Amino acid sequence: MPEGTPMSDRLMDVYHRLYATYGPQHWWPGDGPFEVVAGAILTQSVAWVNVEISLAKMREADCWSFSAVHHIAEPELAKLVRSSGYFNAKARKLKAFAAHVTVKYKGGLDVLFAQPTQLLREELLSIYGIGEETADDIIVYGAGKPSFVIDSYTRRIMDRLDMSPDAERPKYSDYQALFHKHIPADITLYSEFHALWDHHAKMVCFKTAPSCDACCLLDICLTGKKLILNG
């Protein structure tokens, strides 16, 4: 468990404020590991409501296993996931993941997910179309292992709170390292904290014209104070 540091205190203060304001988020919005994996791939650059349509169509078409995804023709799969945008690319990514799991693990995820977290992450990143955020979504919400998910919402709020990594151009790994170094590697904390960052960004901390007056983090947010002062 990380020792107490100013950054750990700040991160946990943010967590407790968000949790007190919004309560538990009950993420991931998926039913079982297959849906988590499919959803993590389909939700790249699109709202979850569009992903739900694609998942419903896959289920209706009985394309609801890695074996089924592996054997369906790619153009047919692309039609099923059209609502998720970039549907040809996402169909290709789904099929790449399904091929990997079908060939190496006979279509199951148990052996894949049983690996140590770092080895699992490395293998996921080796699969076509699986980037860092998608891999960490799968690790946290599919495998139930701690690997903090970083997305544009988390980066936005951290930047506004002046909690960004000490780097000229921080990368995904720089943001993630702050969480791994300064808060306990607890799966419940990781999954809930990520969901709370996202919810806060969608409710208050918008990309443009954030609702700073309604923000539970306002008193620790220099950006918000400046916006109100200049508004």
Side-chain angles (χ1 to χ4, degrees):
M1 177 174 174
E3 296 182 5
T5 64
M7 179 56 75
S8 66
D9 291 343
R10 292 185 69 190
L11 286 170
M12 292 309 299
D13 179 42
V14 170
Y15 172 77
H16 290 304
R17 286 167 179 255
L18 295 178
Y19 192 91
T21 301
Y22 302 117
Q25 298 300 294
H26 305 293
W27 270 32
W28 176 273
D31 182 17
F34 172 80
E35 187 168 346
V36 169
V37 172
I41 293 171
L42 292 174
T43 199
Q44 296 172 11
S45 304
V46 72
W48 182 256
V49 64
N50 295 330
V51 175
E52 288 181 313
I53 297 171
S54 294
L55 292 174
K57 288 185 178 298
M58 289 177 66
R59 193 190 291 268
E60 290 169 4
D62 201 23
C63 185
W64 204 244
S65 67
F66 292 112
S67 178
V69 172
H70 182 50
H71 289 101
I72 192 173
E74 190 172 303
E76 291 303 310
L77 181 58
K79 290 179 183 178
L80 295 177
V81 302
R82 189 179 186 90
S83 65
S84 293
Y86 306 101
F87 48 90
N88 289 317
K90 289 182 179 179
R92 197 173 309 122
K93 293 175 184 180
L94 285 170
K95 287 195 62 72
F97 195 99
H100 184 89
V101 173
T102 300
V103 172
K104 191 170 182 179
Y105 298 104
K106 299 181 180 179
L109 292 171
D110 290 348
V111 175
L112 172 65
F113 283 175
Q115 297 181 88
T117 303
Q118 187 56 39
L119 292 179
L120 170 58
R121 193 172 193 270
E122 290 172 4
E123 182 165 348
L124 290 173
L125 290 172
S126 74
I127 302 171
Y128 170 79
I130 304 299
E132 291 183 293
E133 183 182 337
T134 304
D136 290 326
D137 277 335
I138 293 170
I139 291 169
V140 173
Y141 297 105
K145 297 175 182 289
S147 187
F148 205 93
V149 182
I150 302 297
D151 59 15
S152 60
Y153 297 129
T154 306
R155 290 192 291 268
R156 177 197 305 166
I157 301 170
M158 291 184 72
D159 291 348
R160 288 175 174 174
L161 291 171
D162 194 26
M163 296 174 70
S164 306
D166 186 16
E168 185 175 347
R169 293 183 179 179
K171 304 187 295 291
Y172 184 103
S173 58
D174 296 320
Y175 283 92
Q176 187 182 62
L178 287 179
F179 292 91
H180 287 183
K181 181 178 180 180
H182 295 288
I183 67 173
D186 178 82
I187 183 60
T188 301
L189 174 61
Y190 276 25
S191 61
E192 197 66 60
F193 206 170
H194 169 62
L196 287 166
W197 285 116
D198 279 25
H199 189 70
H200 186 63
K202 293 172 183 176
M203 296 297 294
V204 175
C205 200
F206 311 124
K207 186 175 183 179
T208 58
S211 298
C212 297
D213 286 327
C215 181
C216 62
L217 306 176
L218 178 59
D219 64 304
I220 59 171
C221 182
L222 292 177
T223 303
K225 291 178 181 177
K226 289 178 181 177
L227 287 173
I228 289 178
L229 183 63
N230 297 328

